[in-house]
Structure formats: structure tokens, C-alpha cells
Amino acid sequence: MSNLLPIGDIMPAMKNWSCIITVQEKQQVTNSMGTPTKKQKFVFYDSEGSKVEGIIFNADIPRMSPMLQVYKRYKISNADVRNIPLKFQTAELTKQWMITSKTVIDEIDGDEDIMPVQFAFTKFADLAEYMDDRSKSVDVLGVVISSLAMKTITKNSKQSSVQKFVLLNEESQTVLLSLWDDFLNNEGQVILNNMQSYPVIIGRRLKVNNYNGVSLSTCFDSALLVDPPIQEARQLKNWAMRNTKSIAEIIDAKSYIKYNPALSLKRDKKTTLICNVTPSQKTAWVKAKLSFEHIFQKYWYMSCAKCYRATAADYGIEFTCNSCKEKGAAMPRCRFDIDLSDDSGVIPASIFGDLAETILTFTGLEAMDHFNQNLELPLEFVHAQLKTKTFLVHIKPVQTQLADARQRYTVLYCSELEPQFDCARLTNEPESVSLSTDRQTKNDQLLTVGHSGSSSKVRLRLNQKFDETETVSTSDLDSPDADSKKKAKLDQWQKQCLYLQRISLRQTAVYQLAVFYSNASTKDRYYLLSFNCCFISIIAIESF
């Protein structure tokens, strides 16, 4: 006769014992690092709330694993008891039961009881504190309200399946959870089969990523508990059933596929000086000024309306996207390059979608219409306003670099700072920054290529056009006076530039002169150069 003992009384090398347990977690089968050994871990608990880790190895996995299902009760007898190595122990788990084909397991029938187990769930609003930290994981509780399409991707020459599920909490905050491979094949299918009944899940040891600001993902030692018998899960399911209308509105709005600043942005957000931003950082927050004046670009691209990937399809034409495999109409999406600058340096970045439209004050469709009509967007007011504002910007590096080997970034989020925050010193940054000689030289070069620190290659070409006067031949300068039509054209240029100067848009006037100059013939440039001297004199006299 074996002794029926609680988990806490069962010690290593003990014989003739039995224990009634409930399976709390059943992890996926994994490989031991650097060895061909396969293993599968479990977490068992008893009526006293004590826990122990169960483990099955290699050939015993297909035999014994199906006998142990989550939330079921079993009497286990005479498993091999071991102490978990100290570096792998947790406050809850210090011992391990090795389940083999010799272990006696008997299922105990009975009604499902509430788990006598306490979980420490991380709030959705606190997830950003764990972002991209591989040494930390989180436990979350949420109700699944929707799912995105499954995708097959290639990682390290190996194909993997992944699908994103939308989790919702009682504060109506959403976060995306990515289920990979075995998680998708096992727990993912259970969730999909019960989607209409709002399945509640507990995700254990999940990793926090920066997708859309904050997202969650399974990893090798994660565990998913679907509709677990705990009070918090049942309360959340009841809340979901009472708020089906609100949940339907959230699903229709699809706001969960966009960047969510409510989860990633804190009032005291730590920021980094631009000179200290490195490509090794997965993301960074900076306080910077935005500028894109003199960066010649069309401000839009044709995209798939579903996944926003670029396409060669014509506007409004339905096509099957090569990226997301969905069928839909091609739509213009706003996108343009900007320079981010602070007192320490400048970095180039690209901004997309709604963020780009907010900064530009034009939609992607409007930008496309102007481009197709060969018209410039009227951005003088936008440029003037940007010079007076500072933004809190969330950026991430892109894999491809610019032709001059500089790292490019993508803007994930940006928000205009209030004046009092604009003047505040950056959090966790020294008041004075010491730059290396190479870095200082590089920043000086960027800041001296035109006004406002713009560093685009187009601006370099524009400066080269101004410098072309040094190479004009004397025969061109000695040509006779232009005819009356050319003089009328010159008078028109003068009137336009003087008008711009009178309304204090000097920089725009200089830009317009550059456009006239680049389009003028060599003979006309002689008159433009004369006018330039007069124009600069007017500005100099007014400044006194």
C-alpha cells in the first residue's frame, strides 16, 4: 500500500508514495540545447496549493503525454523525484517528478474545481517596461476577441507558422499575441474553435515585443491556459458576454493593428540623445525637431490596402497582394523622408501612414493628385510651423542603409511636446554630451549642408547647382541684353520673390529662386544672379 501524501511531503529517493494532483500547465515539446534530447514539462498542484514540476523525456513523451491533460485530476504514484538544479529553481518550483512509462497514473473523475492557485498578472499598461528584454517574461490574462491571418515565414532557414490573436482586458485595451508553431497547432486551434464564446486565456512566460508599440509572443517555455478554472478568468468571460456590442465595435474599428501609444507611451518616458542612438537598439525614443524642407520627394507610394506593402498596381485596381495574399484595391499611402535633429546630431528617418498625413497635412490621395498634375504641395506653412515645434519620437532601425552608409530609421510614433517638456532636460542623459572626434565631424558635416540641418542628397545637389556659377564661361556673361520677353519673365520672378520676402517667408523665396535658377538657361542665369545680389542685400538691410 502506497502512502497518499501532499506534494510538499514527497522528497527525492522516496518510495511507495502517491499524490493526487491537478495539471495546471502542459508545455510544448522542446529540444535540450546542444543535445538531441527532447523533453516536455508540466506543472502540477495539489489541494493545498503546493506545486511541483513534471517532466517526460524522449520516447516516453508520445506514450505518457496524452495521459496528462490540463485541468484534469490524477493520482500519480512512485515517480522519480529529483531536486531542480539551484539556478533553475523558482519560488514555486524546487522539485521535479520524472514521468516514465513505469509511472502509475490514474485519472480521478469529478467536477472541475476552482484552481487554488494565485497568478501575478502584468497589466497591459505596464507591458512596455518589459519590452525587448529577453531576460524577463510576463503572465497576462485576456479574452480573445479576434485573430489575424496565419502566415508562414522563414527564420534561420527554417519555415515557421505564426498567427496573431487579439487580447482584450476589462479596460478595453487590446494587445496582439503571436502564437508560433506548436502553440498555434495546439492551443491556437482550441482558441479558433471557440472564438464565438470569447475564450479567456492565461499566457505564462510571454515575451514583450515592440510591434505596434507593444505586443506579446510565445517562446519555447511559454504556456497557454485556455478558459482556466480560476475566478478571474470566469469574471472576465462574464464581462465579455455582457459587452458584446462594445467588443464588436472594437473589432470593426481594427485599431489593434495600429500603433497603440496608450500602452507604450509614459508621461516620464526616457529618451536618448540622437548622438547616442545606435542600430543595435531595437527601438529608441528621442526628442527631436522634424524637417524635410528641400528634400525633393513625392510624399506617397501605391500600396496594398490590407498590409500596406508597396505594389505596382494602378490606383483603385483590384489585385492579389504578393505579400499578404489578400485581394483588394491599390491605394496611395502617405510616406516621406525626414531629418530628426537635436543639439547633438541628425539622423534620417521615414514616416508612414496616418503619422505622415498628420505632419504633412495632406492625405496620400491628395499627394498623389498633386504629383500626377506635376504640382508642388504648398508646404510653406508646414515647414514654418515645424521649426517652432519639438516632438517625442519612437524610432526603429531599418536593415538597409543609405548610399552614404548612414543608418536609416522608421518612425513608429511621434507626438508634439508641450513647451514645458520641450525645454526639459532629457531623462537619464547628461547635461553636456562628449562626442568622439569622428562623430563630431560627421554631425558637423550634416548640420552644415544647408539650413535646419537637412542632410538629404537632394539638398547637396541643390547646393551644387548654386555653385555652378563658378564654371560659367565668360562668353555667356558677355552676351547681349535679353529680349523683352525674357525681361518680362525676369520681372515676374522679381515680383514673386519680393512678395514672398515681404510676408517674411525668406527661406521659401530662396528655395523658389533655386527652382527658377535650375530651370533657366545659361543666359537667363546671368540676370538671376544679379537679382540674387539685390535680394540678399534687402534681407541684410532689414535685419539691421
mmCIF file of all heavy atoms in Angstrom, residues 103-144:
data_model
loop_
_atom_site.group_PDB
_atom_site.id
_atom_site.type_symbol
_atom_site.label_atom_id
_atom_site.label_comp_id
_atom_site.label_asym_id
_atom_site.label_seq_id
_atom_site.Cartn_x
_atom_site.Cartn_y
_atom_site.Cartn_z
ATOM 1 N N THR A 103 5.731 4.862 -14.563
ATOM 2 C CA THR A 103 4.997 5.656 -13.579
ATOM 3 C C THR A 103 3.506 5.306 -13.638
ATOM 4 O O THR A 103 2.920 5.228 -14.729
ATOM 5 C CB THR A 103 5.196 7.168 -13.828
ATOM 6 O OG1 THR A 103 6.599 7.443 -13.824
ATOM 7 C CG2 THR A 103 4.521 7.979 -12.747
ATOM 8 N N VAL A 104 2.910 5.145 -12.471
ATOM 9 C CA VAL A 104 1.491 4.804 -12.397
ATOM 10 C C VAL A 104 0.670 6.091 -12.368
ATOM 11 O O VAL A 104 0.871 6.951 -11.510
ATOM 12 C CB VAL A 104 1.183 3.959 -11.145
ATOM 13 C CG1 VAL A 104 -0.304 3.634 -11.069
ATOM 14 C CG2 VAL A 104 2.029 2.693 -11.141
ATOM 15 N N ILE A 105 -0.251 6.241 -13.334
ATOM 16 C CA ILE A 105 -1.105 7.431 -13.430
ATOM 17 C C ILE A 105 -2.554 6.976 -13.556
ATOM 18 O O ILE A 105 -2.900 6.254 -14.490
ATOM 19 C CB ILE A 105 -0.714 8.313 -14.637
ATOM 20 C CG1 ILE A 105 0.745 8.771 -14.526
ATOM 21 C CG2 ILE A 105 -1.645 9.517 -14.734
ATOM 22 C CD1 ILE A 105 1.226 9.572 -15.713
ATOM 23 N N ASP A 106 -3.394 7.412 -12.629
ATOM 24 C CA ASP A 106 -4.820 7.091 -12.657
ATOM 25 C C ASP A 106 -5.628 8.389 -12.667
ATOM 26 O O ASP A 106 -5.427 9.254 -11.801
ATOM 27 C CB ASP A 106 -5.219 6.260 -11.424
ATOM 28 C CG ASP A 106 -4.523 4.908 -11.400
ATOM 29 O OD1 ASP A 106 -4.521 4.239 -12.452
ATOM 30 O OD2 ASP A 106 -3.981 4.531 -10.341
ATOM 31 N N GLU A 107 -6.519 8.509 -13.658
ATOM 32 C CA GLU A 107 -7.360 9.705 -13.709
ATOM 33 C C GLU A 107 -8.464 9.593 -12.657
ATOM 34 O O GLU A 107 -9.042 8.527 -12.434
ATOM 35 C CB GLU A 107 -7.974 9.874 -15.097
ATOM 36 C CG GLU A 107 -8.811 11.137 -15.233
ATOM 37 C CD GLU A 107 -9.322 11.361 -16.643
ATOM 38 O OE1 GLU A 107 -8.918 10.592 -17.563
ATOM 39 O OE2 GLU A 107 -10.132 12.298 -16.838
ATOM 40 N N ILE A 108 -8.767 10.725 -12.013
ATOM 41 C CA ILE A 108 -9.800 10.791 -10.991
ATOM 42 C C ILE A 108 -10.971 11.582 -11.548
ATOM 43 O O ILE A 108 -10.822 12.749 -11.929
ATOM 44 C CB ILE A 108 -9.272 11.452 -9.702
ATOM 45 C CG1 ILE A 108 -8.141 10.600 -9.112
ATOM 46 C CG2 ILE A 108 -10.392 11.633 -8.679
ATOM 47 C CD1 ILE A 108 -7.507 11.199 -7.893
ATOM 48 N N ASP A 109 -12.118 10.950 -11.630
ATOM 49 C CA ASP A 109 -13.305 11.625 -12.130
ATOM 50 C C ASP A 109 -13.813 12.602 -11.083
ATOM 51 O O ASP A 109 -13.630 12.420 -9.875
ATOM 52 C CB ASP A 109 -14.401 10.607 -12.456
ATOM 53 C CG ASP A 109 -13.995 9.686 -13.594
ATOM 54 O OD1 ASP A 109 -13.217 10.151 -14.466
ATOM 55 O OD2 ASP A 109 -14.417 8.506 -13.598
ATOM 56 N N GLY A 110 -14.482 13.641 -11.559
ATOM 57 C CA GLY A 110 -15.044 14.613 -10.635
ATOM 58 C C GLY A 110 -15.238 15.936 -11.329
ATOM 59 O O GLY A 110 -14.730 16.186 -12.426
ATOM 60 N N ASP A 111 -16.034 16.790 -10.670
ATOM 61 C CA ASP A 111 -16.294 18.112 -11.221
ATOM 62 C C ASP A 111 -15.026 18.967 -11.151
ATOM 63 O O ASP A 111 -14.178 18.810 -10.271
ATOM 64 C CB ASP A 111 -17.431 18.800 -10.458
ATOM 65 C CG ASP A 111 -18.750 18.068 -10.616
ATOM 66 O OD1 ASP A 111 -18.916 17.400 -11.658
ATOM 67 O OD2 ASP A 111 -19.595 18.151 -9.698
ATOM 68 N N GLU A 112 -14.941 19.873 -12.112
ATOM 69 C CA GLU A 112 -13.801 20.779 -12.172
ATOM 70 C C GLU A 112 -13.873 21.772 -11.020
ATOM 71 O O GLU A 112 -14.897 22.411 -10.787
ATOM 72 C CB GLU A 112 -13.820 21.522 -13.516
ATOM 73 C CG GLU A 112 -12.602 22.372 -13.777
ATOM 74 C CD GLU A 112 -12.707 23.065 -15.126
ATOM 75 O OE1 GLU A 112 -13.553 23.981 -15.243
ATOM 76 O OE2 GLU A 112 -11.985 22.685 -16.063
ATOM 77 N N ASP A 113 -12.805 21.881 -10.266
ATOM 78 C CA ASP A 113 -12.753 22.800 -9.128
ATOM 79 C C ASP A 113 -12.031 24.081 -9.525
ATOM 80 O O ASP A 113 -11.246 24.113 -10.483
ATOM 81 C CB ASP A 113 -12.034 22.150 -7.947
ATOM 82 C CG ASP A 113 -12.781 20.930 -7.424
ATOM 83 O OD1 ASP A 113 -14.026 20.942 -7.480
ATOM 84 O OD2 ASP A 113 -12.118 19.972 -6.982
ATOM 85 N N ILE A 114 -12.286 25.122 -8.748
ATOM 86 C CA ILE A 114 -11.524 26.355 -8.927
ATOM 87 C C ILE A 114 -10.079 26.094 -8.504
ATOM 88 O O ILE A 114 -9.811 25.520 -7.452
ATOM 89 C CB ILE A 114 -12.131 27.500 -8.081
ATOM 90 C CG1 ILE A 114 -13.523 27.857 -8.596
ATOM 91 C CG2 ILE A 114 -11.218 28.722 -8.094
ATOM 92 C CD1 ILE A 114 -13.525 28.495 -9.966
ATOM 93 N N MET A 115 -9.138 26.513 -9.347
ATOM 94 C CA MET A 115 -7.726 26.319 -9.021
ATOM 95 C C MET A 115 -7.371 27.055 -7.728
ATOM 96 O O MET A 115 -7.625 28.252 -7.614
ATOM 97 C CB MET A 115 -6.839 26.887 -10.146
ATOM 98 C CG MET A 115 -6.685 26.020 -11.354
ATOM 99 S SD MET A 115 -5.429 26.760 -12.444
ATOM 100 C CE MET A 115 -5.541 25.682 -13.855
ATOM 101 N N PRO A 116 -6.751 26.381 -6.756
ATOM 102 C CA PRO A 116 -6.267 27.066 -5.557
ATOM 103 C C PRO A 116 -4.898 27.687 -5.809
ATOM 104 O O PRO A 116 -3.941 27.496 -5.053
ATOM 105 C CB PRO A 116 -6.192 25.931 -4.534
ATOM 106 C CG PRO A 116 -5.846 24.736 -5.343
ATOM 107 C CD PRO A 116 -6.520 24.916 -6.674
ATOM 108 N N VAL A 117 -4.803 28.414 -6.923
ATOM 109 C CA VAL A 117 -3.516 28.938 -7.380
ATOM 110 C C VAL A 117 -3.647 30.442 -7.605
ATOM 111 O O VAL A 117 -4.656 30.917 -8.132
ATOM 112 C CB VAL A 117 -3.079 28.251 -8.698
ATOM 113 C CG1 VAL A 117 -1.773 28.847 -9.209
ATOM 114 C CG2 VAL A 117 -2.933 26.750 -8.487
ATOM 115 N N GLN A 118 -2.636 31.187 -7.194
ATOM 116 C CA GLN A 118 -2.601 32.619 -7.403
ATOM 117 C C GLN A 118 -1.619 32.957 -8.524
ATOM 118 O O GLN A 118 -0.497 32.443 -8.550
ATOM 119 C CB GLN A 118 -2.186 33.344 -6.111
ATOM 120 C CG GLN A 118 -3.151 33.178 -4.957
ATOM 121 C CD GLN A 118 -4.491 33.839 -5.223
ATOM 122 O OE1 GLN A 118 -4.570 34.902 -5.829
ATOM 123 N NE2 GLN A 118 -5.563 33.186 -4.773
ATOM 124 N N PHE A 119 -2.048 33.802 -9.450
ATOM 125 C CA PHE A 119 -1.193 34.269 -10.537
ATOM 126 C C PHE A 119 -0.887 35.756 -10.341
ATOM 127 O O PHE A 119 -1.733 36.508 -9.848
ATOM 128 C CB PHE A 119 -1.873 34.067 -11.888
ATOM 129 C CG PHE A 119 -2.090 32.631 -12.272
ATOM 130 C CD1 PHE A 119 -3.285 31.991 -11.981
ATOM 131 C CD2 PHE A 119 -1.099 31.914 -12.920
ATOM 132 C CE1 PHE A 119 -3.497 30.673 -12.334
ATOM 133 C CE2 PHE A 119 -1.298 30.591 -13.275
ATOM 134 C CZ PHE A 119 -2.489 29.966 -12.976
ATOM 135 N N ALA A 120 0.309 36.150 -10.740
ATOM 136 C CA ALA A 120 0.695 37.568 -10.703
ATOM 137 C C ALA A 120 0.655 38.097 -12.128
ATOM 138 O O ALA A 120 1.654 38.035 -12.862
ATOM 139 C CB ALA A 120 2.086 37.726 -10.091
ATOM 140 N N PHE A 121 -0.508 38.604 -12.541
ATOM 141 C CA PHE A 121 -0.675 39.076 -13.914
ATOM 142 C C PHE A 121 -0.081 40.471 -14.075
ATOM 143 O O PHE A 121 -0.213 41.325 -13.191
ATOM 144 C CB PHE A 121 -2.149 39.101 -14.304
ATOM 145 C CG PHE A 121 -2.811 37.756 -14.278
ATOM 146 C CD1 PHE A 121 -3.920 37.520 -13.474
ATOM 147 C CD2 PHE A 121 -2.325 36.720 -15.056
ATOM 148 C CE1 PHE A 121 -4.532 36.280 -13.445
ATOM 149 C CE2 PHE A 121 -2.921 35.468 -15.033
ATOM 150 C CZ PHE A 121 -4.025 35.244 -14.219
ATOM 151 N N THR A 122 0.536 40.702 -15.231
ATOM 152 C CA THR A 122 1.036 42.027 -15.581
ATOM 153 C C THR A 122 -0.073 42.789 -16.306
ATOM 154 O O THR A 122 -0.683 42.262 -17.244
ATOM 155 C CB THR A 122 2.271 41.929 -16.493
ATOM 156 O OG1 THR A 122 3.293 41.198 -15.816
ATOM 157 C CG2 THR A 122 2.800 43.313 -16.852
ATOM 158 N N LYS A 123 -0.333 44.013 -15.886
ATOM 159 C CA LYS A 123 -1.345 44.832 -16.545
ATOM 160 C C LYS A 123 -0.875 45.204 -17.953
ATOM 161 O O LYS A 123 0.321 45.385 -18.191
ATOM 162 C CB LYS A 123 -1.622 46.096 -15.730
ATOM 163 C CG LYS A 123 -2.222 45.836 -14.370
ATOM 164 C CD LYS A 123 -2.475 47.151 -13.637
ATOM 165 C CE LYS A 123 -3.102 46.903 -12.269
ATOM 166 N NZ LYS A 123 -3.343 48.179 -11.543
ATOM 167 N N PHE A 124 -1.828 45.347 -18.858
ATOM 168 C CA PHE A 124 -1.472 45.739 -20.227
ATOM 169 C C PHE A 124 -0.709 47.064 -20.229
ATOM 170 O O PHE A 124 0.214 47.254 -21.022
ATOM 171 C CB PHE A 124 -2.735 45.872 -21.081
ATOM 172 C CG PHE A 124 -3.335 44.554 -21.500
ATOM 173 C CD1 PHE A 124 -2.918 43.364 -20.924
ATOM 174 C CD2 PHE A 124 -4.318 44.497 -22.476
ATOM 175 C CE1 PHE A 124 -3.475 42.147 -21.295
ATOM 176 C CE2 PHE A 124 -4.882 43.285 -22.861
ATOM 177 C CZ PHE A 124 -4.459 42.106 -22.265
ATOM 178 N N ALA A 125 -1.097 47.990 -19.358
ATOM 179 C CA ALA A 125 -0.470 49.310 -19.327
ATOM 180 C C ALA A 125 0.981 49.250 -18.852
ATOM 181 O O ALA A 125 1.738 50.208 -19.064
ATOM 182 C CB ALA A 125 -1.272 50.252 -18.432
ATOM 183 N N ASP A 126 1.383 48.137 -18.221
ATOM 184 C CA ASP A 126 2.750 48.020 -17.700
ATOM 185 C C ASP A 126 3.641 47.150 -18.585
ATOM 186 O O ASP A 126 4.813 46.925 -18.248
ATOM 187 C CB ASP A 126 2.727 47.427 -16.285
ATOM 188 C CG ASP A 126 2.001 48.325 -15.289
ATOM 189 O OD1 ASP A 126 2.024 49.549 -15.490
ATOM 190 O OD2 ASP A 126 1.422 47.794 -14.321
ATOM 191 N N LEU A 127 3.128 46.656 -19.696
ATOM 192 C CA LEU A 127 3.901 45.747 -20.531
ATOM 193 C C LEU A 127 5.148 46.397 -21.123
ATOM 194 O O LEU A 127 6.159 45.729 -21.345
ATOM 195 C CB LEU A 127 3.019 45.199 -21.668
ATOM 196 C CG LEU A 127 1.904 44.236 -21.254
ATOM 197 C CD1 LEU A 127 1.034 43.880 -22.455
ATOM 198 C CD2 LEU A 127 2.481 42.967 -20.632
ATOM 199 N N ALA A 128 5.076 47.709 -21.398
ATOM 200 C CA ALA A 128 6.205 48.394 -22.035
ATOM 201 C C ALA A 128 7.478 48.313 -21.192
ATOM 202 O O ALA A 128 8.591 48.414 -21.726
ATOM 203 C CB ALA A 128 5.848 49.856 -22.310
ATOM 204 N N GLU A 129 7.344 48.127 -19.883
ATOM 205 C CA GLU A 129 8.517 48.041 -19.022
ATOM 206 C C GLU A 129 9.350 46.793 -19.310
ATOM 207 O O GLU A 129 10.521 46.720 -18.941
ATOM 208 C CB GLU A 129 8.079 48.041 -17.555
ATOM 209 C CG GLU A 129 7.312 49.296 -17.134
ATOM 210 C CD GLU A 129 6.778 49.193 -15.719
ATOM 211 O OE1 GLU A 129 7.182 48.232 -15.015
ATOM 212 O OE2 GLU A 129 5.979 50.058 -15.308
ATOM 213 N N TYR A 130 8.754 45.788 -19.954
ATOM 214 C CA TYR A 130 9.440 44.522 -20.230
ATOM 215 C C TYR A 130 9.802 44.370 -21.702
ATOM 216 O O TYR A 130 10.253 43.301 -22.115
ATOM 217 C CB TYR A 130 8.543 43.348 -19.814
ATOM 218 C CG TYR A 130 8.119 43.386 -18.367
ATOM 219 C CD1 TYR A 130 6.967 44.076 -17.971
ATOM 220 C CD2 TYR A 130 8.858 42.744 -17.386
ATOM 221 C CE1 TYR A 130 6.571 44.122 -16.648
ATOM 222 C CE2 TYR A 130 8.469 42.779 -16.055
ATOM 223 C CZ TYR A 130 7.326 43.474 -15.691
ATOM 224 O OH TYR A 130 6.940 43.520 -14.377
ATOM 225 N N MET A 131 9.645 45.433 -22.484
ATOM 226 C CA MET A 131 9.800 45.326 -23.935
ATOM 227 C C MET A 131 11.222 44.965 -24.332
ATOM 228 O O MET A 131 12.186 45.567 -23.861
ATOM 229 C CB MET A 131 9.389 46.646 -24.597
ATOM 230 C CG MET A 131 9.316 46.591 -26.114
ATOM 231 S SD MET A 131 8.911 48.192 -26.823
ATOM 232 C CE MET A 131 7.366 48.561 -26.021
ATOM 233 N N ASP A 132 11.324 43.952 -25.212
ATOM 234 C CA ASP A 132 12.596 43.535 -25.816
ATOM 235 C C ASP A 132 13.655 43.150 -24.790
ATOM 236 O O ASP A 132 14.855 43.208 -25.076
ATOM 237 C CB ASP A 132 13.139 44.643 -26.739
ATOM 238 C CG ASP A 132 12.254 44.845 -27.950
ATOM 239 O OD1 ASP A 132 11.719 43.843 -28.444
ATOM 240 O OD2 ASP A 132 12.095 46.003 -28.381
ATOM 241 N N ASP A 133 13.229 42.770 -23.603
ATOM 242 C CA ASP A 133 14.159 42.294 -22.577
ATOM 243 C C ASP A 133 14.038 40.768 -22.508
ATOM 244 O O ASP A 133 13.097 40.228 -21.934
ATOM 245 C CB ASP A 133 13.835 42.918 -21.221
ATOM 246 C CG ASP A 133 14.905 42.627 -20.179
ATOM 247 O OD1 ASP A 133 15.673 41.650 -20.379
ATOM 248 O OD2 ASP A 133 14.983 43.357 -19.175
ATOM 249 N N ARG A 134 14.996 40.071 -23.114
ATOM 250 C CA ARG A 134 14.922 38.618 -23.210
ATOM 251 C C ARG A 134 15.106 37.931 -21.858
ATOM 252 O O ARG A 134 14.821 36.734 -21.722
ATOM 253 C CB ARG A 134 15.983 38.107 -24.191
ATOM 254 C CG ARG A 134 15.712 38.530 -25.633
ATOM 255 C CD ARG A 134 14.361 37.993 -26.093
ATOM 256 N NE ARG A 134 13.986 38.505 -27.411
ATOM 257 C CZ ARG A 134 12.817 38.298 -27.973
ATOM 258 N NH1 ARG A 134 11.888 37.614 -27.329
ATOM 259 N NH2 ARG A 134 12.534 38.793 -29.154
ATOM 260 N N SER A 135 15.559 38.654 -20.866
ATOM 261 C CA SER A 135 15.734 38.053 -19.547
ATOM 262 C C SER A 135 14.459 38.100 -18.716
ATOM 263 O O SER A 135 14.411 37.538 -17.625
ATOM 264 C CB SER A 135 16.855 38.770 -18.784
ATOM 265 O OG SER A 135 16.498 40.127 -18.510
ATOM 266 N N LYS A 136 13.426 38.775 -19.222
ATOM 267 C CA LYS A 136 12.189 38.924 -18.469
ATOM 268 C C LYS A 136 11.009 38.422 -19.292
ATOM 269 O O LYS A 136 11.006 38.507 -20.517
ATOM 270 C CB LYS A 136 11.962 40.394 -18.086
ATOM 271 C CG LYS A 136 13.024 40.961 -17.157
ATOM 272 C CD LYS A 136 12.742 42.425 -16.846
ATOM 273 C CE LYS A 136 13.804 43.013 -15.926
ATOM 274 N NZ LYS A 136 13.554 44.444 -15.646
ATOM 275 N N SER A 137 10.014 37.918 -18.591
ATOM 276 C CA SER A 137 8.778 37.475 -19.234
ATOM 277 C C SER A 137 7.601 37.913 -18.383
ATOM 278 O O SER A 137 7.772 38.344 -17.237
ATOM 279 C CB SER A 137 8.776 35.948 -19.428
ATOM 280 O OG SER A 137 8.892 35.298 -18.174
ATOM 281 N N VAL A 138 6.401 37.782 -18.926
ATOM 282 C CA VAL A 138 5.208 38.256 -18.224
ATOM 283 C C VAL A 138 4.117 37.196 -18.274
ATOM 284 O O VAL A 138 4.094 36.338 -19.157
ATOM 285 C CB VAL A 138 4.679 39.581 -18.842
ATOM 286 C CG1 VAL A 138 5.699 40.696 -18.704
ATOM 287 C CG2 VAL A 138 4.285 39.374 -20.298
ATOM 288 N N ASP A 139 3.222 37.281 -17.300
ATOM 289 C CA ASP A 139 1.981 36.500 -17.297
ATOM 290 C C ASP A 139 0.831 37.469 -17.511
ATOM 291 O O ASP A 139 0.773 38.518 -16.843
ATOM 292 C CB ASP A 139 1.792 35.765 -15.966
ATOM 293 C CG ASP A 139 2.845 34.695 -15.719
ATOM 294 O OD1 ASP A 139 3.602 34.402 -16.658
ATOM 295 O OD2 ASP A 139 2.902 34.180 -14.593
ATOM 296 N N VAL A 140 -0.072 37.169 -18.440
ATOM 297 C CA VAL A 140 -1.190 38.067 -18.722
ATOM 298 C C VAL A 140 -2.494 37.279 -18.750
ATOM 299 O O VAL A 140 -2.509 36.067 -19.009
ATOM 300 C CB VAL A 140 -1.009 38.818 -20.064
ATOM 301 C CG1 VAL A 140 0.242 39.684 -20.050
ATOM 302 C CG2 VAL A 140 -0.982 37.847 -21.232
ATOM 303 N N LEU A 141 -3.565 38.001 -18.496
ATOM 304 C CA LEU A 141 -4.920 37.454 -18.577
ATOM 305 C C LEU A 141 -5.702 38.296 -19.563
ATOM 306 O O LEU A 141 -5.705 39.528 -19.474
ATOM 307 C CB LEU A 141 -5.592 37.500 -17.198
ATOM 308 C CG LEU A 141 -7.076 37.106 -17.139
ATOM 309 C CD1 LEU A 141 -7.239 35.609 -17.399
ATOM 310 C CD2 LEU A 141 -7.677 37.490 -15.793
ATOM 311 N N GLY A 142 -6.362 37.667 -20.530
ATOM 312 C CA GLY A 142 -7.132 38.414 -21.512
ATOM 313 C C GLY A 142 -8.161 37.535 -22.198
ATOM 314 O O GLY A 142 -8.044 36.304 -22.191
ATOM 315 N N VAL A 143 -9.147 38.189 -22.802
ATOM 316 C CA VAL A 143 -10.154 37.475 -23.575
ATOM 317 C C VAL A 143 -9.824 37.656 -25.051
ATOM 318 O O VAL A 143 -9.497 38.760 -25.500
ATOM 319 C CB VAL A 143 -11.577 37.983 -23.262
ATOM 320 C CG1 VAL A 143 -11.696 39.483 -23.482
ATOM 321 C CG2 VAL A 143 -12.618 37.248 -24.103
ATOM 322 N N VAL A 144 -9.860 36.561 -25.809
ATOM 323 C CA VAL A 144 -9.540 36.609 -27.238
ATOM 324 C C VAL A 144 -10.790 37.023 -27.995
ATOM 325 O O VAL A 144 -11.834 36.366 -27.906
ATOM 326 C CB VAL A 144 -9.040 35.244 -27.738
ATOM 327 C CG1 VAL A 144 -8.664 35.338 -29.214
ATOM 328 C CG2 VAL A 144 -7.863 34.772 -26.914
#
